[in-house]
C-alpha cells in the first residue's frame, strides 16, 4: 500500500523538521513548503492527499491559501496548525474550509491520528456516523449518546470511529493497533484493552451496555447498526 502524501505548509524550519520526521516515522510520505504561494502550488498537485497548514505564512497568508484551496480542490482535507488558539481563529479556520484545527505546541502523534481520521473520512465520502444510540460527527469530532454529549480523548475518538466505520466486521488487535496508533506495539501491550474499557464506561447507558463486543481470541466488533 502506498503511503499517503501529506503536504506541510509551515515557515518555521524547526517545526517542519519535527513534523516531517514524525510523520515519516509513522508511515506517511511528506512534502513541505515554507510560504503560502509555494504551498498553494504544491497543494494543487494531484498526489497530495491532505494539507497541514499554518495560518501565519509569508508571501500569501494561510487564510488566503485555505480560501483558494477550498475553491479549487474542495475535497482536499486541510488541517490548520497554528499558534493562534482563540475561539474566533478556530471558527474562521473551520468556516474557511479546514476540516480540523490543532494549536501549537502539539504532539506529532495527535496530529498523525487526526490525519488518519480525515483520510478515512475522505475515502468514505461521509462526515457523520449514526447508530441507534450514537451520533459521531467526523468533522467537528463531537459524539452524542442518546442526545447527550460524550467527551472523548483523541485516541478514544479514533478508536470509536475505526470500530464504527468497520461494523459489523470483527477487527483483530493488530488491525486496530495499526489503524489507531499507527505503529506496531509490543505484542504484550494492553493499551487497546485499556482504551476499550474507557469507551465502554463512557458509552454505556442504564438500559444497555456499550456497543463494543469482545470476540475471544480475535479482537473486537462494533455492535450497533447504522441508520
Amino acid at each position: 500500500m502506498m503511503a499517503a502524501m501529506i503536504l506541510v505548509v509551515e515557515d518555521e524550519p524547526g517545526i517542519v523538521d519535527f513534523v516531517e520526521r514524525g510523520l515519516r516515522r509513522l508511515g506517511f510520505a511528506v512534502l513541505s513548503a515554507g510560504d503560502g504561494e509555494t504551498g498553494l502550488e504544491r497543494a494543487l498537485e494531484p498526489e497530495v492527499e491532505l494539507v497541514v497548514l499554518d495560518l501565519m505564512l509569508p508571501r500569501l497568508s494561510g487564510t488566503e491559501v485555505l480560501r483558494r484551496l477550498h475553491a479549487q480542490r474542495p475535497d482536499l482535507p486541510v488541517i490548520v496548525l497554528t499558534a493562534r488558539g482563540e475561539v474566533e481563529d478556530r471558527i474562521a479556520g473551520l468556516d474557511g474550509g479546514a476540516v480540523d484545527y490543532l494549536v501549537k505546541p502539539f504532539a506529532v502523534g495527535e496530529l498523525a491520528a487526526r490525519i488518519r481520521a480525515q483520510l478515512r473520512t475522505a475515502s468514505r465520502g461521509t462526515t457523520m456516523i449514526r447508530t441507534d444510540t450514537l451520533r459521531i460527527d467526523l468533522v467537528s469530532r463531537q459524539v452524542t449518546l442518546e442526545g447527550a454529549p460524550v467527551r472523548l480523548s483523541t485516541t478514544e475518538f479514533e478508536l470509536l470511529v475505526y470500530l464504527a466505520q468497520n461494523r459489523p466486521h470483527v477487527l483483530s488487535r493488530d488491525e486496530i493497533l495499526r489503524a489507531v496508533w499507527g505503529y506496531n506495539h509490543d505484542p504484550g501491550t494492553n493499551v487497546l484493552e485499556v482504551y476499550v474499557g474507557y469507551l465502554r464506561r463512557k458509552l454505556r447507558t442504564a438500559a444497555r451496555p456499550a456497543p463494543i463486543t469482545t470476540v475471544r481470541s480475535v479482537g473486537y466488533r462494533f455492535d450497533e447498526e447504522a441508520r
Side-chain angles (χ1 to χ4, degrees), residues 55-100:
L55 291 184
M56 304 292 288
L57 293 168
R59 298 182 67 190
L60 192 66
S61 73
T63 302
E64 181 62 18
V65 172
L66 185 60
R67 186 188 70 79
R68 297 189 192 183
L69 273 181
H70 190 58
Q72 297 179 62
R73 286 194 67 182
D75 295 330
L76 179 66
V78 179
I79 296 177
V80 167
L81 181 66
T82 180
R84 296 165 60 181
E86 291 79 6
V87 172
E88 293 80 5
D89 292 324
R90 295 198 298 269
I91 292 172
L94 294 171
D95 284 348
V99 296
D100 205 350

CSV table of all heavy atoms in Angstrom, one decimal, residues 55-100:
chain,number,residue,atom,x,y,z
A,55,LEU,N,-1.3,29.2,9.6
A,55,LEU,CA,-2.0,30.4,9.1
A,55,LEU,C,-1.1,31.6,9.0
A,55,LEU,O,-1.4,32.5,8.1
A,55,LEU,CB,-3.1,30.8,10.1
A,55,LEU,CG,-4.3,29.8,10.2
A,55,LEU,CD1,-5.4,30.4,11.2
A,55,LEU,CD2,-4.9,29.6,8.9
A,56,MET,N,0.0,31.7,9.7
A,56,MET,CA,0.9,32.8,9.7
A,56,MET,C,2.0,32.5,8.7
A,56,MET,O,3.1,32.0,9.1
A,56,MET,CB,1.4,33.2,11.1
A,56,MET,CG,0.3,33.4,12.1
A,56,MET,SD,-0.6,34.9,11.7
A,56,MET,CE,0.7,36.2,12.2
A,57,LEU,N,1.8,32.8,7.4
A,57,LEU,CA,2.8,32.5,6.4
A,57,LEU,C,3.3,33.7,5.6
A,57,LEU,O,2.5,34.7,5.4
A,57,LEU,CB,2.2,31.5,5.4
A,57,LEU,CG,1.9,30.1,5.9
A,57,LEU,CD1,1.0,29.4,4.9
A,57,LEU,CD2,3.1,29.3,6.2
A,58,PRO,N,4.5,33.7,5.1
A,58,PRO,CA,4.9,34.8,4.2
A,58,PRO,C,4.4,34.6,2.8
A,58,PRO,O,4.0,33.5,2.4
A,58,PRO,CB,6.5,34.7,4.2
A,58,PRO,CG,6.7,33.2,4.5
A,58,PRO,CD,5.6,32.8,5.4
A,59,ARG,N,4.4,35.7,2.1
A,59,ARG,CA,4.0,35.8,0.6
A,59,ARG,C,2.5,35.6,0.4
A,59,ARG,O,1.9,36.4,-0.4
A,59,ARG,CB,4.8,34.8,-0.2
A,59,ARG,CG,6.3,35.0,-0.2
A,59,ARG,CD,7.0,34.0,-1.1
A,59,ARG,NE,6.7,34.2,-2.5
A,59,ARG,CZ,7.1,33.3,-3.4
A,59,ARG,NH1,7.7,32.2,-3.1
A,59,ARG,NH2,6.8,33.5,-4.7
A,60,LEU,N,1.9,34.7,1.1
A,60,LEU,CA,0.4,34.5,1.0
A,60,LEU,C,0.0,33.9,2.3
A,60,LEU,O,0.5,32.9,2.7
A,60,LEU,CB,0.1,33.6,-0.2
A,60,LEU,CG,-1.4,33.5,-0.7
A,60,LEU,CD1,-1.8,34.8,-1.2
A,60,LEU,CD2,-1.5,32.4,-1.7
A,61,SER,N,-1.0,34.5,2.9
A,61,SER,CA,-1.4,34.1,4.2
A,61,SER,C,-2.1,32.7,4.2
A,61,SER,O,-2.6,32.3,3.1
A,61,SER,CB,-2.4,35.1,4.9
A,61,SER,OG,-3.7,35.0,4.2
A,62,GLY,N,-2.0,32.0,5.3
A,62,GLY,CA,-2.7,30.7,5.3
A,62,GLY,C,-4.2,30.8,5.1
A,62,GLY,O,-4.8,29.9,4.5
A,63,THR,N,-4.8,31.9,5.6
A,63,THR,CA,-6.2,32.1,5.4
A,63,THR,C,-6.5,32.2,3.9
A,63,THR,O,-7.5,31.6,3.4
A,63,THR,CB,-6.7,33.3,6.1
A,63,THR,OG1,-6.4,33.2,7.5
A,63,THR,CG2,-8.2,33.5,5.9
A,64,GLU,N,-5.7,32.9,3.2
A,64,GLU,CA,-5.9,33.0,1.7
A,64,GLU,C,-5.6,31.7,1.0
A,64,GLU,O,-6.3,31.3,0.0
A,64,GLU,CB,-5.0,34.1,1.1
A,64,GLU,CG,-5.2,34.4,-0.4
A,64,GLU,CD,-6.6,34.8,-0.7
A,64,GLU,OE1,-7.4,35.3,0.1
A,64,GLU,OE2,-6.9,34.7,-1.9
A,65,VAL,N,-4.6,31.0,1.4
A,65,VAL,CA,-4.3,29.6,0.9
A,65,VAL,C,-5.5,28.8,1.1
A,65,VAL,O,-6.0,28.1,0.1
A,65,VAL,CB,-3.1,29.0,1.5
A,65,VAL,CG1,-2.9,27.6,1.1
A,65,VAL,CG2,-1.8,29.8,1.1
A,66,LEU,N,-6.1,28.8,2.3
A,66,LEU,CA,-7.3,28.0,2.6
A,66,LEU,C,-8.4,28.4,1.7
A,66,LEU,O,-9.2,27.5,1.2
A,66,LEU,CB,-7.6,28.2,4.1
A,66,LEU,CG,-8.7,27.3,4.6
A,66,LEU,CD1,-8.4,25.8,4.5
A,66,LEU,CD2,-9.0,27.7,6.1
A,67,ARG,N,-8.7,29.6,1.5
A,67,ARG,CA,-9.8,30.1,0.7
A,67,ARG,C,-9.6,29.6,-0.8
A,67,ARG,O,-10.6,29.1,-1.4
A,67,ARG,CB,-9.9,31.6,0.7
A,67,ARG,CG,-11.1,32.2,0.0
A,67,ARG,CD,-11.0,33.7,-0.1
A,67,ARG,NE,-10.0,34.1,-1.1
A,67,ARG,CZ,-10.1,34.1,-2.4
A,67,ARG,NH1,-11.3,33.7,-2.9
A,67,ARG,NH2,-9.2,34.5,-3.2
A,68,ARG,N,-8.4,29.7,-1.3
A,68,ARG,CA,-8.2,29.3,-2.7
A,68,ARG,C,-8.3,27.8,-2.9
A,68,ARG,O,-8.8,27.3,-3.9
A,68,ARG,CB,-6.9,29.9,-3.2
A,68,ARG,CG,-6.8,31.4,-3.3
A,68,ARG,CD,-5.6,31.9,-4.0
A,68,ARG,NE,-5.3,33.3,-3.8
A,68,ARG,CZ,-4.3,34.0,-4.3
A,68,ARG,NH1,-3.5,33.3,-5.1
A,68,ARG,NH2,-4.2,35.3,-4.1
A,69,LEU,N,-7.8,27.1,-1.9
A,69,LEU,CA,-7.8,25.6,-2.0
A,69,LEU,C,-9.3,25.2,-1.9
A,69,LEU,O,-9.7,24.2,-2.6
A,69,LEU,CB,-7.1,25.0,-0.8
A,69,LEU,CG,-5.6,24.8,-1.0
A,69,LEU,CD1,-5.0,24.1,0.2
A,69,LEU,CD2,-5.3,23.9,-2.2
A,70,HIS,N,-10.0,25.8,-1.0
A,70,HIS,CA,-11.4,25.4,-0.9
A,70,HIS,C,-12.2,25.6,-2.2
A,70,HIS,O,-13.1,24.9,-2.6
A,70,HIS,CB,-12.1,26.2,0.2
A,70,HIS,CG,-13.5,25.7,0.6
A,70,HIS,ND1,-13.7,24.4,1.0
A,70,HIS,CD2,-14.7,26.3,0.6
A,70,HIS,CE1,-15.0,24.2,1.3
A,70,HIS,NE2,-15.6,25.4,1.0
A,71,ALA,N,-11.8,26.6,-3.0
A,71,ALA,CA,-12.4,26.9,-4.2
A,71,ALA,C,-11.9,26.0,-5.3
A,71,ALA,O,-12.7,25.5,-6.2
A,71,ALA,CB,-12.2,28.4,-4.7
A,72,GLN,N,-10.6,25.6,-5.3
A,72,GLN,CA,-10.1,24.8,-6.4
A,72,GLN,C,-10.0,23.3,-6.1
A,72,GLN,O,-10.1,22.5,-7.1
A,72,GLN,CB,-8.7,25.3,-6.7
A,72,GLN,CG,-8.6,26.8,-7.2
A,72,GLN,CD,-7.2,27.3,-7.5
A,72,GLN,OE1,-6.5,26.8,-8.3
A,72,GLN,NE2,-6.8,28.3,-6.7
A,73,ARG,N,-9.9,22.9,-4.9
A,73,ARG,CA,-9.9,21.5,-4.5
A,73,ARG,C,-10.7,21.3,-3.3
A,73,ARG,O,-10.2,21.0,-2.2
A,73,ARG,CB,-8.4,21.0,-4.3
A,73,ARG,CG,-7.6,20.7,-5.5
A,73,ARG,CD,-6.3,19.9,-5.2
A,73,ARG,NE,-6.7,18.5,-4.8
A,73,ARG,CZ,-5.8,17.6,-4.5
A,73,ARG,NH1,-4.5,17.9,-4.4
A,73,ARG,NH2,-6.1,16.4,-4.1
A,74,PRO,N,-12.0,21.5,-3.4
A,74,PRO,CA,-12.9,21.5,-2.2
A,74,PRO,C,-12.9,20.1,-1.4
A,74,PRO,O,-13.2,20.1,-0.2
A,74,PRO,CB,-14.3,21.8,-2.8
A,74,PRO,CG,-14.2,21.4,-4.2
A,74,PRO,CD,-12.8,21.7,-4.6
A,75,ASP,N,-12.5,19.0,-2.1
A,75,ASP,CA,-12.5,17.8,-1.4
A,75,ASP,C,-11.1,17.5,-0.7
A,75,ASP,O,-11.0,16.4,-0.1
A,75,ASP,CB,-12.8,16.6,-2.4
A,75,ASP,CG,-14.2,16.7,-2.9
A,75,ASP,OD1,-15.1,17.3,-2.2
A,75,ASP,OD2,-14.4,16.3,-4.1
A,76,LEU,N,-10.2,18.3,-0.8
A,76,LEU,CA,-8.8,18.1,-0.2
A,76,LEU,C,-8.9,18.5,1.3
A,76,LEU,O,-9.2,19.6,1.6
A,76,LEU,CB,-7.8,19.0,-0.9
A,76,LEU,CG,-6.4,18.9,-0.3
A,76,LEU,CD1,-5.8,17.5,-0.6
A,76,LEU,CD2,-5.5,19.9,-1.0
A,77,PRO,N,-8.7,17.5,2.2
A,77,PRO,CA,-8.7,17.9,3.6
A,77,PRO,C,-7.6,18.8,4.0
A,77,PRO,O,-6.4,18.6,3.6
A,77,PRO,CB,-8.6,16.5,4.3
A,77,PRO,CG,-8.8,15.5,3.3
A,77,PRO,CD,-8.4,16.1,2.0
A,78,VAL,N,-7.9,19.8,4.8
A,78,VAL,CA,-6.9,20.7,5.3
A,78,VAL,C,-7.0,20.8,6.8
A,78,VAL,O,-8.0,21.1,7.4
A,78,VAL,CB,-7.0,22.1,4.7
A,78,VAL,CG1,-5.9,23.1,5.3
A,78,VAL,CG2,-6.9,22.1,3.2
A,79,ILE,N,-5.9,20.5,7.5
A,79,ILE,CA,-5.8,20.6,9.0
A,79,ILE,C,-5.0,21.9,9.3
A,79,ILE,O,-3.8,22.0,8.9
A,79,ILE,CB,-5.2,19.4,9.6
A,79,ILE,CG1,-6.0,18.2,9.4
A,79,ILE,CG2,-5.0,19.7,11.1
A,79,ILE,CD1,-5.4,16.9,10.0
A,80,VAL,N,-5.6,22.8,9.9
A,80,VAL,CA,-4.9,24.1,10.3
A,80,VAL,C,-4.1,23.9,11.5
A,80,VAL,O,-4.6,23.4,12.5
A,80,VAL,CB,-6.0,25.2,10.5
A,80,VAL,CG1,-5.3,26.4,11.1
A,80,VAL,CG2,-6.6,25.6,9.1
A,81,LEU,N,-2.8,24.2,11.4
A,81,LEU,CA,-1.9,24.1,12.5
A,81,LEU,C,-1.3,25.5,12.8
A,81,LEU,O,-0.6,26.0,12.0
A,81,LEU,CB,-0.7,23.1,12.1
A,81,LEU,CG,0.3,22.8,13.1
A,81,LEU,CD1,-0.2,22.1,14.3
A,81,LEU,CD2,1.5,22.0,12.4
A,82,THR,N,-1.6,26.0,14.0
A,82,THR,CA,-1.2,27.4,14.2
A,82,THR,C,-1.1,27.7,15.7
A,82,THR,O,-1.6,26.9,16.6
A,82,THR,CB,-2.2,28.4,13.6
A,82,THR,OG1,-1.9,29.7,13.9
A,82,THR,CG2,-3.6,28.1,14.2
A,83,ALA,N,-0.4,28.7,16.0
A,83,ALA,CA,-0.3,29.2,17.4
A,83,ALA,C,-1.5,30.0,17.8
A,83,ALA,O,-1.6,30.3,19.0
A,83,ALA,CB,1.0,30.0,17.6
A,84,ARG,N,-2.3,30.3,16.9
A,84,ARG,CA,-3.5,31.2,17.2
A,84,ARG,C,-4.6,30.3,17.7
A,84,ARG,O,-5.3,29.7,16.9
A,84,ARG,CB,-3.8,32.0,16.0
A,84,ARG,CG,-2.8,33.0,15.5
A,84,ARG,CD,-3.0,33.5,14.1
A,84,ARG,NE,-4.2,34.2,14.0
A,84,ARG,CZ,-4.6,34.7,12.8
A,84,ARG,NH1,-3.9,34.6,11.8
A,84,ARG,NH2,-5.8,35.4,12.8
A,85,GLY,N,-4.8,30.2,19.0
A,85,GLY,CA,-5.8,29.3,19.5
A,85,GLY,C,-7.1,29.9,20.0
A,85,GLY,O,-7.9,29.2,20.5
A,86,GLU,N,-7.3,31.2,19.7
A,86,GLU,CA,-8.5,31.8,20.2
A,86,GLU,C,-9.7,31.2,19.4
A,86,GLU,O,-9.6,30.8,18.3
A,86,GLU,CB,-8.5,33.4,19.9
A,86,GLU,CG,-7.5,34.1,20.8
A,86,GLU,CD,-6.1,34.0,20.3
A,86,GLU,OE1,-5.8,33.4,19.3
A,86,GLU,OE2,-5.2,34.5,21.1
A,87,VAL,N,-10.9,31.3,20.1
A,87,VAL,CA,-12.1,30.7,19.5
A,87,VAL,C,-12.4,31.3,18.1
A,87,VAL,O,-12.8,30.6,17.2
A,87,VAL,CB,-13.3,30.9,20.5
A,87,VAL,CG1,-14.6,30.5,19.8
A,87,VAL,CG2,-13.1,30.1,21.7
A,88,GLU,N,-12.2,32.6,18.0
A,88,GLU,CA,-12.5,33.3,16.7
A,88,GLU,C,-11.6,32.8,15.6
A,88,GLU,O,-12.1,32.6,14.5
A,88,GLU,CB,-12.3,34.8,16.9
A,88,GLU,CG,-13.3,35.5,17.8
A,88,GLU,CD,-12.9,35.4,19.3
A,88,GLU,OE1,-11.9,34.8,19.6
A,88,GLU,OE2,-13.8,35.8,20.1
A,89,ASP,N,-10.4,32.5,15.9
A,89,ASP,CA,-9.4,31.9,14.9
A,89,ASP,C,-9.9,30.5,14.5
A,89,ASP,O,-9.8,30.2,13.3
A,89,ASP,CB,-8.0,31.9,15.4
A,89,ASP,CG,-7.5,33.3,15.6
A,89,ASP,OD1,-7.8,34.2,14.8
A,89,ASP,OD2,-6.7,33.5,16.6
A,90,ARG,N,-10.3,29.7,15.5
A,90,ARG,CA,-10.7,28.4,15.2
A,90,ARG,C,-11.9,28.4,14.3
A,90,ARG,O,-12.0,27.6,13.3
A,90,ARG,CB,-11.0,27.6,16.5
A,90,ARG,CG,-9.7,27.3,17.3
A,90,ARG,CD,-9.9,26.2,18.3
A,90,ARG,NE,-11.0,26.5,19.3
A,90,ARG,CZ,-10.8,27.1,20.4
A,90,ARG,NH1,-9.6,27.5,20.8
A,90,ARG,NH2,-11.8,27.3,21.3
A,91,ILE,N,-12.9,29.2,14.6
A,91,ILE,CA,-14.1,29.4,13.8
A,91,ILE,C,-13.8,29.8,12.4
A,91,ILE,O,-14.3,29.3,11.4
A,91,ILE,CB,-15.1,30.3,14.5
A,91,ILE,CG1,-15.6,29.7,15.8
A,91,ILE,CG2,-16.3,30.6,13.6
A,91,ILE,CD1,-16.5,30.7,16.6
A,92,ALA,N,-12.9,30.8,12.3
A,92,ALA,CA,-12.5,31.3,11.0
A,92,ALA,C,-11.9,30.2,10.1
A,92,ALA,O,-12.2,30.1,8.9
A,92,ALA,CB,-11.6,32.5,11.1
A,93,GLY,N,-11.0,29.4,10.7
A,93,GLY,CA,-10.4,28.4,10.0
A,93,GLY,C,-11.3,27.3,9.5
A,93,GLY,O,-11.3,26.9,8.4
A,94,LEU,N,-12.2,26.9,10.4
A,94,LEU,CA,-13.2,25.9,10.1
A,94,LEU,C,-14.2,26.4,9.0
A,94,LEU,O,-14.6,25.7,8.1
A,94,LEU,CB,-13.9,25.3,11.3
A,94,LEU,CG,-13.0,24.6,12.3
A,94,LEU,CD1,-13.7,24.3,13.6
A,94,LEU,CD2,-12.5,23.3,11.7
A,95,ASP,N,-14.7,27.6,9.2
A,95,ASP,CA,-15.6,28.2,8.3
A,95,ASP,C,-14.9,28.4,6.9
A,95,ASP,O,-15.6,28.4,5.9
A,95,ASP,CB,-16.1,29.6,8.8
A,95,ASP,CG,-17.2,29.4,9.9
A,95,ASP,OD1,-17.7,28.3,10.0
A,95,ASP,OD2,-17.5,30.4,10.5
A,96,GLY,N,-13.6,28.6,6.9
A,96,GLY,CA,-12.9,28.8,5.7
A,96,GLY,C,-12.6,27.5,4.9
A,96,GLY,O,-12.1,27.6,3.8
A,97,GLY,N,-13.0,26.4,5.5
A,97,GLY,CA,-12.9,25.1,4.7
A,97,GLY,C,-12.0,24.1,5.4
A,97,GLY,O,-11.8,23.0,4.9
A,98,ALA,N,-11.3,24.4,6.5
A,98,ALA,CA,-10.5,23.4,7.2
A,98,ALA,C,-11.4,22.4,7.8
A,98,ALA,O,-12.5,22.6,8.2
A,98,ALA,CB,-9.7,24.1,8.3
A,99,VAL,N,-10.8,21.1,7.9
A,99,VAL,CA,-11.6,20.0,8.5
A,99,VAL,C,-11.2,19.8,9.9
A,99,VAL,O,-12.0,19.1,10.6
A,99,VAL,CB,-11.4,18.7,7.7
A,99,VAL,CG1,-11.9,18.8,6.3
A,99,VAL,CG2,-9.9,18.3,7.7
A,100,ASP,N,-10.1,20.4,10.4
A,100,ASP,CA,-9.7,20.2,11.8
A,100,ASP,C,-8.8,21.4,12.1
A,100,ASP,O,-8.3,22.1,11.2
A,100,ASP,CB,-9.1,18.9,12.0
A,100,ASP,CG,-9.1,18.4,13.4
A,100,ASP,OD1,-9.5,19.2,14.3
A,100,ASP,OD2,-8.8,17.2,13.6
